[in-house]
């Protein structure tokens, strides 16, 4: 198999082999004198048949079927236009084969119109099909004027060639033949048709696309060979020669051999994204795009042929014996008239083109004068030849100062060497035609007043002039540069205070850390205005902006010039301090922080006609505190990490100062970060704990102080995290921040109600108290949820008491309405930690309250502090007078219990009474009380649940 593939003949070599065989046979037959004209006719038939087979097979063969990947791609790129030409060439060769075969069988070698035969018709069809094959690859024009010019040029060419032939040859033959003009013109029918086809096909051959030029010219060569052969045959026949003396068959055979070689000239692929002027793309059935040519006039050919004919006629008239025949003036005159018409058309077209050029020049000047950019036209040495009005306006030069001046004199000396290098490369480059390659440069240009303006220029070759010129379009970037500086300033500065912003402070911190010496240190001071939110809420944001602007001026005026004051965000400011390399840097920073605290708090802020007094919270952090090492040698990463840690530590110190009540200075300590991390970890673990039900409910009994009987229990939430109990004060805050209190509160309410309802079904008449926060009460469908839990667990509404803090009842009317809706259902309401909130005594008469719980701070002072004793006695008496149940919280010592009984406080809870315990121990305590005994359970300090 491999040997067969190795010896297989390439398909494209077949035409060459056939041409060689035909040539050898014809040469051998001619030398041996085989068959005379019959041999020649059979040779024509063989060549025509071979050409037909080769052309039609190439036209029908799928492109890329040669097995050669590159050639396959090449044929694919040629497309359907190439195959259409091959098909028409094949049809021409087939018709010629039929004509030659008929002539050989009938031994008929005539080419005269007077004796027109069937083979002659096939010859005529073959020539017409060959012309169609030349026309197919070209897109025909759509305007009538182009067709008229084409017809005129073709007619002039035919007339010129006819006159040349008549004067040189056929005129003499006409006189010798004795035939009538009509009969003689019929004798010349074949040559006239051939000349007309040759002249008419020339514009299509000239306009063939690059990929189709070789097959087009070979087909045109075959057509010309056939035409010359017909002329020679006609001359031999009119001259009286025998068919055997006619050498024209050699030309016909040569034309057929040219057609046979056409498949060898299969076009190569051409890219379609760079079509030359006048060549258009056409989309094939497979979606690819290929080239099509356009019809191009023969140009100077008609005039040249006409001139040659005129000169030949003139010379023949002067030297000949017969002068001009009547047919010559007739044909030459008509051709002259057509030439004059074409000349008039050319003059009009030339005038139109001239006006278009002038209009284009005017349009260019008008455009260059109207645009703001500077437009310059320079010669190839970069000397200014033209300057637009925009250039004069931009650079404030006069036309005389710019025209004739080299551009090198206007460019900044620092930019000139670079520009000269790229400009030289641009001029030496020959990658594309004129006008296609463009050079874009940026440089500084000197204006008439001596200032250097940043510019961006585009340089392109300009076709005007004999040696070529350069078109330079320059845009002034001064406004853009100013805008960029403004944007950069706004990017790193605060628009309200004018101070650097957070981004600038972070970058400045990294910069100082990167160049920090071994003994140098830096520190950051964070400042927050206490109560600033109240200013915005009461006086408006405009007043708040005035306060911030005044605070920024006070800070800027009380730091050193090297220190950086920035607005961190909102009402927070930061001061980046560069510390001296001695042992007093810590004290100096603390003194600076105290000074800033005083200047921000001592004097009131003037807002309109009002004076607003504010305090500040200040935090300090030093570079190197709590610094964590970064592995590897990436110093940039280490600096970024250190800068972020420093700013974070200062913010944490300020937050701690604010938590401590504000109006103070706090220095960062590592435990602050640990506290924040722990709060974040707790917030993350709370989500999982709620899903896995890691929580438990404990109950702290509430007893009747007179009888020690348990009258109710308070539900308290407990969290066991990894086997360790987390104090409520640590996880309640993160749960509130994470928005988990509503689902946690619902879970506690459902579990506690289910347990107490079970006790009540066993005839244990105890009530249940559950703490609720403001966020829980404000949750959607709060009332519906409580009602649904009561119905689900079977707990009577009057057995449930909701405990809320005083601020919930005072600040939000919507929450009060919800609590009133629950009270209408029978649920009781208690004020927790009464006496420490915002409720005045007047509120107790208007709010839907059933129980008040005395804050443990008052109970703790009983017997030791007269004020606490007096306040507690007043609350107990007030509750009795208003018909409210009073519960004392935090009973820890016997003397407190005795004083509360003496005051007439009805109920209490605390260490001395009972500690928080699980449901099972509560059952034991209740059973003991039902039996009539008393049981004081001591233990750890109970912590009431805020929600």
């Amino acid at each position: 198999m491999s040997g067969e593939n190795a010896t297989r003949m390439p398909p494209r070599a077949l035409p060459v082999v056939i041409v060689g065989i035909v040539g050898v046979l014809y040469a051998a037959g001619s030398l041996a004198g085989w068959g005379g004209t019959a041999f020649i006719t059979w040779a024509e038939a063989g060549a025509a048949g071979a050409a037909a087979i080769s052309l039609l097979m190439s036209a029908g063969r799928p492109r890329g079927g040669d097995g050669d990947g590159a050639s396959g791609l090449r044929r694919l790129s040629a497309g359907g236009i190439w195959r259409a030409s091959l098909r028409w060439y094949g049809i021409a060769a087939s018709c010629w084969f039929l004509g030659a075969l008929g002539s050989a069988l009938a031994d008929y070698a005539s080419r005269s119109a007077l004796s027109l035969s069937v083979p002659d018709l096939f010859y005529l069809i073959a020539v017409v099909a060959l012309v169609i094959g030349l026309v197919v690859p070209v897109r025909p024009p759509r305007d009538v004027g182009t067709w008229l010019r084409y017809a005129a040029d073709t007619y002039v060419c035919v007339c010129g060639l006819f006159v040349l032939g008549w004067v040189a040859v056929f005129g003499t033959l006409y006189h010798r033949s004795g035939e009538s003009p009509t009969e003689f013109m019929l004798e010349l029918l074949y040559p006239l048709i051939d000349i007309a086809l040759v002249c008419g096909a020339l514009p299509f051959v000239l306009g063939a696309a690059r990929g189709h030029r070789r097959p087009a010219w070979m087909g045109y060569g075959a057509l010309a060979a056939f035409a010359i052969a017909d002329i020679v045959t006609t001359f031999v026949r009119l001259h009286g020669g025998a068919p055997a003396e006619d050498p024209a068959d050699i030309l016909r055979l040569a034309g057929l051999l040219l057609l046979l070689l056409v498949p060898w000239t299969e076009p190569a692929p051409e890219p379609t994204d760079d079509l030359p002027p006048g060549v258009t793309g056409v989309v094939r059935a497979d979606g690819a795009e290929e080239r099509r040519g356009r019809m191009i006039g023969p140009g100077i050919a008609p005039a040249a042929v006409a001139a040659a004919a005129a000169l030949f006629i003139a010379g023949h008239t002067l030297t000949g014996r017969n002068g001009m025949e009547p047919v010559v003036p007739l044909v030459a005159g008509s051709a002259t008239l057509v030439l004059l018409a074409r000349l008039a058309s050319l003059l009009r077209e030339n005038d139109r083109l001239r006006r278009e050029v002038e209009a284009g020049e005017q349009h260019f000047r008008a455009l260059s004068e109207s645009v703001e950019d500077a437009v310059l036209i320079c010669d190839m040495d970069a000397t200014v030849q033209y300057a637009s009005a925009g250039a004069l306006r931009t650079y404030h030069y006069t036309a005389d100062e710019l025209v004739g001046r080299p551009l090198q004199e206007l460019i900044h000396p620092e930019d000139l060497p670079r520009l000269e290098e790229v400009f030289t490369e641009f001029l030496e480059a020959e990658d594309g035609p004129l006008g296609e390659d463009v050079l874009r440069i940026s440089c500084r240009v000197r204006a008439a007043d001596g200032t250097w303006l940043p510019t961006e220029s585009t340089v392109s070759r300009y076709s005007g002039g004999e040696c070529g010129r350069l078109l330079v379009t320059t845009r002034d970037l001064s406004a853009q540069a100013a805008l960029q500086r403004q944007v950069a300033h706004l990017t790193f500065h605060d628009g309200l205070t004018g101070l650097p912003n957070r981004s600038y402070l972070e970058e400045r911190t990294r910069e100082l850390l990167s160049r920090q010496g071994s003994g140098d240190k830096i520190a950051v001071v964070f400042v927050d205005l206490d109560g600033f939110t109240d200013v915005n809420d009461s006086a408006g944001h405009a007043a708040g902006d005035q306060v911030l602007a005044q605070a920024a001026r006070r800070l800027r005026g009380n730091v050193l010039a090297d220190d950086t004051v920035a607005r961190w965000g909102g009402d927070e400011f930061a001061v980046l301090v560069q510390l001296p390399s001695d042992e007093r840097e810590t004290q100096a920073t603390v003194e600076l922080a105290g000074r800033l605290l005083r200047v921000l708090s001592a004097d009131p802020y003037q807002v309109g006609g009002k004076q607003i007094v504010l305090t500040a919270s200040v935090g300090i952090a030093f570079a190197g505190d709590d610094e964590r090492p970064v592995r590897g040698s990436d110093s940039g990463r280490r600096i970024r990490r250190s800068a972020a840690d420093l700013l974070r530590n200062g913010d944490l110190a300020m937050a701690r100062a604010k938590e401590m009540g504000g109006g103070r200075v706090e220095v960062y300590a590592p435990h602050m970060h640990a506290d924040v991390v722990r709060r974040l970890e707790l917030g993350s673990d709370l989500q999982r704990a709620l899903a896995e039900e890691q929580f438990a409910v404990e109950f702290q009994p509430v007893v009747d102080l007179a009888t020690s009987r348990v009258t109710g229990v308070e539900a308290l939430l407990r969290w066991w995290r990894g086997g360790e109990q987390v104090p409520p004060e640590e996880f309640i805050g993160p749960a509130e921040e994470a928005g988990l209190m509503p689902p946690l509160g619902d879970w506690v309410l459902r579990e506690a109600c289910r347990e107490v309802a079970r006790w009540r079904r066993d005839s244990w008449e105890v009530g249940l108290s559950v703490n609720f926060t403001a966020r829980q009460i404000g949750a959607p469908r709060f009332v519906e949820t409580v009602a649904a839990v009561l119905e689900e667990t079977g707990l009577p509404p009057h057995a449930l008491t909701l405990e809320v803090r005083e601020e919930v009842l005072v600040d939000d009317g919507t929450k009060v309405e919800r609590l009133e809706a629950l009270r209408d259902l029978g649920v009781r309401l208690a004020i927790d930690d009464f006496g420490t909130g915002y409720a005045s005594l007047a509120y107790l008469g208007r709010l839907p309250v059933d129980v008040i719980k005395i804050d443990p701070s008052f109970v703790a002072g009983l017997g030791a502090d007269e004020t606490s004793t007096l306040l507690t006695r007043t609350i107990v008496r007030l509750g009795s007078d208003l018909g409210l149940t009073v519960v004392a919280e935090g009973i820890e010592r016997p003397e407190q219990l005795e004083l509360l009984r003496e005051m007439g406080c009805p109920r209490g809870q605390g260490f001395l009474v009972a500690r928080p315990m699980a449901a099972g121990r509560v059952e034991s305590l209740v059973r003991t009380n039902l039996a009539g005994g008393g049981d004081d359970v001591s233990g750890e300090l109970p912590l009431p649940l805020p929600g």
Side-chain angles (χ1 to χ4, degrees):
M1 182 66 68
S2 60
E4 180 182 351
N5 290 336
T7 58
R8 180 180 299 171
M9 181 180 296
R12 294 180 61 180
L14 181 61
V16 180
V17 174
I18 296 175
V19 170
I21 293 174
V22 172
V24 171
L25 291 177
Y26 183 79
S30 298
L31 293 175
W34 296 340
T37 58
F39 171 76
I40 297 176
T41 306
W42 282 108
E44 284 186 23
I53 294 173
S54 176
L55 290 166
L56 293 177
M57 287 181 61
S58 298
R61 186 175 66 246
R63 314 328 280 169
D66 287 356
D68 177 37
S71 64
L73 291 176
R74 196 159 55 241
R75 277 185 291 275
L76 280 172
S77 69
I81 294 178
W82 164 249
R83 291 197 295 269
S85 294
L86 289 183
R87 280 194 295 269
W88 283 107
Y89 286 173
I91 292 172
S94 300
C95 292
W96 197 278
F97 168 75
L98 295 176
L101 184 62
S103 298
L105 292 176
D107 193 16
Y108 183 79
S110 174
R111 291 289 192 273
S112 173
L114 296 177
S115 57
L116 189 63
S117 63
V118 175
D120 293 330
L121 292 177
F122 281 109
Y123 291 139
L124 183 60
I125 295 174
V127 175
V128 174
L130 183 58
V131 173
I132 295 176
L134 297 173
V135 173
V136 165
V138 176
R139 182 182 297 275
R142 298 181 179 180
D143 58 305
V144 179
T146 302
W147 283 112
L148 292 177
R149 289 193 295 272
Y150 163 74
D153 292 342
T154 302
Y155 179 74
V156 170
C157 286
V158 172
C159 291
L161 293 175
F162 175 77
V163 169
L164 285 173
W166 182 270
V167 173
V169 177
F170 295 108
T172 304
L173 296 177
Y174 168 68
H175 290 287
R176 291 174 55 184
S177 65
E179 297 178 352
S180 65
T182 303
E183 291 177 343
F184 192 79
M185 291 304 296
L186 286 176
E187 294 282 1
L188 299 180
L189 181 61
Y190 270 119
L192 290 176
I193 293 176
D194 291 335
I195 292 174
L197 292 178
V198 168
C199 294
L202 181 60
F204 296 94
V205 177
L206 293 174
R210 277 186 296 183
H212 304 140
R213 288 175 185 172
R214 284 183 295 174
W217 279 108
M218 293 187 72
Y220 189 75
L223 178 64
F226 296 154
I228 297 173
D230 285 342
I231 294 174
V232 172
T233 297
T234 302
F235 172 77
V236 171
R237 187 182 68 254
L238 294 176
H239 199 268
E245 300 175 357
D246 185 5
D249 288 318
I250 300 177
L251 295 174
R252 296 187 182 92
L253 185 61
L256 292 173
L257 294 180
L258 282 176
L259 290 179
L260 184 62
L261 290 174
V262 166
W264 180 262
T265 63
E266 186 172 344
E270 297 290 345
T272 59
D273 55 351
D274 186 25
L275 297 177
V279 180
T280 59
V282 63
V283 179
R284 303 199 316 263
D286 58 359
E289 187 177 2
E290 52 183 320
R291 296 174 181 271
R292 293 197 66 178
R294 67 182 180 93
M295 188 177 69
I296 298 178
I300 200 173
V305 172
L311 291 175
F312 192 81
I313 292 170
H316 193 274
T317 301
L318 294 175
T319 60
R321 294 173 296 174
N322 299 323
M324 292 190 299
E325 301 294 338
V327 70
V328 174
L330 180 63
V331 176
S334 63
T336 303
L337 293 177
V338 173
L339 273 179
L340 291 176
R342 285 289 287 124
L343 179 61
S345 174
L346 289 175
L347 291 175
R348 286 196 303 271
E349 185 174 359
N350 181 67
D351 184 63
R352 179 181 60 82
L353 292 176
R354 181 181 56 79
R355 290 196 302 270
E356 290 181 357
V357 170
E358 293 177 354
E361 195 74 23
Q362 294 175 359
H363 292 163
F364 170 78
R365 291 183 177 275
L367 180 62
S368 64
E369 298 296 331
S370 61
V371 297
E372 293 296 328
D373 295 347
V375 179
L376 304 175
I377 296 179
C378 307
D379 57 19
M380 303 305 289
D381 294 331
T383 301
V384 178
Q385 302 295 329
Y386 165 78
S388 67
L392 304 181
R393 288 193 304 267
T394 302
Y395 303 108
H396 307 291
Y397 287 105
T398 63
D400 295 337
E401 292 174 332
L402 274 183
V403 175
R405 188 172 188 176
L407 288 179
Q408 294 87 335
E409 298 180 2
L410 305 177
I411 299 174
H412 196 282
E414 296 178 0
D415 302 334
L416 189 57
R418 173 178 58 86
L419 293 184
E420 288 180 343
E421 180 180 355
V422 297
F423 187 71
T424 302
E425 295 178 358
F426 169 74
L427 293 181
E428 294 177 353
E430 297 181 356
D431 295 336
L434 292 179
E436 289 187 3
D437 45 345
V438 175
L439 174 65
R440 291 180 175 85
I441 54 177
S442 298
C443 63
R444 289 164 288 180
V445 175
R446 184 175 61 190
D449 57 1
T451 59
W452 295 101
L453 305 180
T455 63
E456 183 180 58
S457 301
T458 300
V459 182
S460 59
R461 292 182 173 92
Y462 184 56
S463 59
E466 296 180 356
C467 300
R469 290 183 290 178
L470 297 174
L471 177 64
V472 182
T473 304
T474 303
R475 174 167 296 181
D476 181 17
L477 301 181
S478 300
Q480 183 177 344
L483 180 61
Q484 290 177 348
R485 290 193 297 270
Q486 182 180 2
V487 169
H489 178 81
L490 294 176
T491 302
F492 292 101
H493 288 78
D494 176 53
L496 174 63
T497 62
L499 296 177
N501 58 12
R502 177 182 299 193
S503 299
Y504 182 91
L505 181 67
E506 293 173 346
E507 184 64 30
R508 178 63 174 168
T509 304
R510 289 193 289 267
E511 179 185 353
L512 291 180
L513 287 175
S514 65
R515 66 187 192 190
Q516 184 178 4
S518 58
D520 299 333
K521 290 191 68 175
I522 63 173
V524 65
V525 179
F526 270 76
V527 179
D528 181 87
L529 298 178
D530 300 329
F532 179 77
T533 303
D534 297 334
V535 176
N536 281 337
D537 295 341
S538 60
H541 288 275
D545 292 344
Q546 295 183 40
V547 171
L548 292 175
Q550 295 178 41
R553 288 194 294 270
R554 295 182 186 184
L555 291 173
R556 181 68 267 179
N558 285 273
V559 299
L560 298 178
D562 293 337
D563 297 338
T564 302
V565 181
R567 184 183 178 189
W568 185 251
D571 60 332
E572 298 181 16
F573 298 88
V575 181
L576 189 62
V577 183
Q578 303 182 52
L579 302 175
S581 57
D582 54 31
E583 299 180 355
R584 298 185 298 106
E585 70 274 358
T586 302
Q587 183 62 30
T589 305
V590 173
E591 291 176 357
L592 172 64
R595 185 167 65 253
L596 297 179
L597 177 62
R598 289 191 297 273
V599 300
L600 292 175
S601 307
D603 299 328
Y605 295 89
Q606 191 70 33
V607 179
K610 299 180 181 179
Q611 290 187 340
I612 299 176
V613 178
L614 297 176
T615 59
S617 299
V618 182
I620 305 173
F622 295 91
D625 291 348
D626 193 30
E627 182 177 355
R628 287 167 287 180
V630 179
R631 295 181 180 180
S633 58
D634 189 351
S635 59
R637 181 185 173 195
R638 183 182 294 111
I639 290 172
R640 289 193 297 271
R641 182 71 174 272
S642 300
D645 289 344
L646 175 62
L647 297 175
R648 181 209 63 198
N649 295 343
D651 198 12
L652 288 175
M654 181 201 67
R656 176 55 59 92
K658 204 168 188 68
E659 290 177 0
M660 299 296 292
R664 57 187 293 136
V665 178
E666 286 286 334
V667 180
Y668 171 78
H671 70 83
M672 296 180 181
H673 180 257
D675 292 344
V676 174
V677 172
R678 178 172 173 79
R679 288 174 66 88
L680 293 175
E681 291 177 351
L682 287 176
S684 176
D685 292 344
L686 279 169
Q687 297 275 1
R688 184 173 61 256
L690 181 61
E692 298 177 358
E693 296 187 357
Q694 299 178 5
F695 297 97
V697 178
E698 291 187 350
F699 299 92
Q700 184 175 25
V702 179
V703 302
D704 188 317
L705 295 182
T707 64
S708 297
R709 183 177 62 86
V710 176
T711 61
V713 291
E714 180 181 356
L716 303 176
L717 180 64
R718 296 293 183 260
W719 180 21
W720 294 91
R721 180 170 175 250
E724 177 185 356
Q725 182 175 334
V726 182
E729 63 269 16
E730 291 189 11
F731 73 81
I732 293 300
E736 281 277 5
E737 295 172 0
L740 297 178
M741 283 312 300
L744 270 178
D746 294 344
W747 182 83
V748 171
L749 177 64
R750 182 172 287 100
E751 294 295 321
C753 288
R754 181 180 294 110
E755 196 67 39
V756 174
R758 184 175 61 82
W759 295 340
R760 292 181 68 88
R761 285 194 295 272
D762 293 340
S763 301
W764 301 342
E765 294 294 330
V766 293
L768 172 65
S769 297
V770 182
N771 286 275
F772 281 86
T773 64
R775 182 170 293 183
Q776 290 176 264
I777 299 172
R781 301 184 59 81
F782 169 71
V783 178
E784 292 81 356
T785 300
V786 175
V789 171
L790 292 175
E791 182 178 357
E792 175 187 341
T793 59
L795 183 69
H798 64 82
L800 176 63
T801 301
L802 300 184
E803 296 186 9
V804 297
R805 299 180 65 87
E806 297 177 38
E807 55 267 23
V808 175
L809 301 174
V810 174
D811 292 342
D812 197 331
T814 304
K815 295 183 177 65
V816 173
E817 293 177 359
R818 294 187 174 187
L819 294 175
E820 288 179 342
L822 286 177
R823 198 164 183 267
D824 293 339
L825 293 177
V827 178
R828 294 159 57 85
L829 180 64
I831 298 180
D832 195 18
D833 298 336
F834 183 79
T836 61
Y838 307 99
S840 65
L841 297 179
Y843 277 99
L844 293 179
R846 300 198 304 267
L847 297 176
V849 178
D850 300 289
V851 181
I852 56 176
K853 302 185 73 172
I854 302 175
D855 188 75
S857 62
F858 295 136
V859 176
L862 292 178
D865 183 23
E866 294 183 359
T867 301
S868 297
T869 303
L870 178 59
L871 289 175
T872 303
R873 189 182 303 275
T874 301
I875 294 173
V876 171
R877 184 178 302 168
L878 177 65
S880 176
D881 294 342
L882 295 177
L884 305 177
T885 301
V886 180
V887 180
E889 295 184 284
I891 303 174
E892 300 178 1
R893 300 190 305 274
E895 61 268 22
Q896 296 171 348
L897 178 61
E898 292 300 325
L899 285 173
L900 289 171
R901 286 175 174 172
E902 177 189 343
M903 294 176 186
C905 182
R907 296 179 183 177
Q909 63 183 113
F911 267 1
L912 189 63
V913 177
R915 65 177 182 177
M917 60 190 71
R921 297 198 61 192
V922 174
E923 291 183 20
S924 176
L925 179 63
V926 172
R927 290 179 185 275
T928 302
N929 278 272
L930 291 176
D935 188 4
D936 290 341
V937 183
S938 61
E940 62 182 0
L941 179 64
L943 297 175
L945 178 67

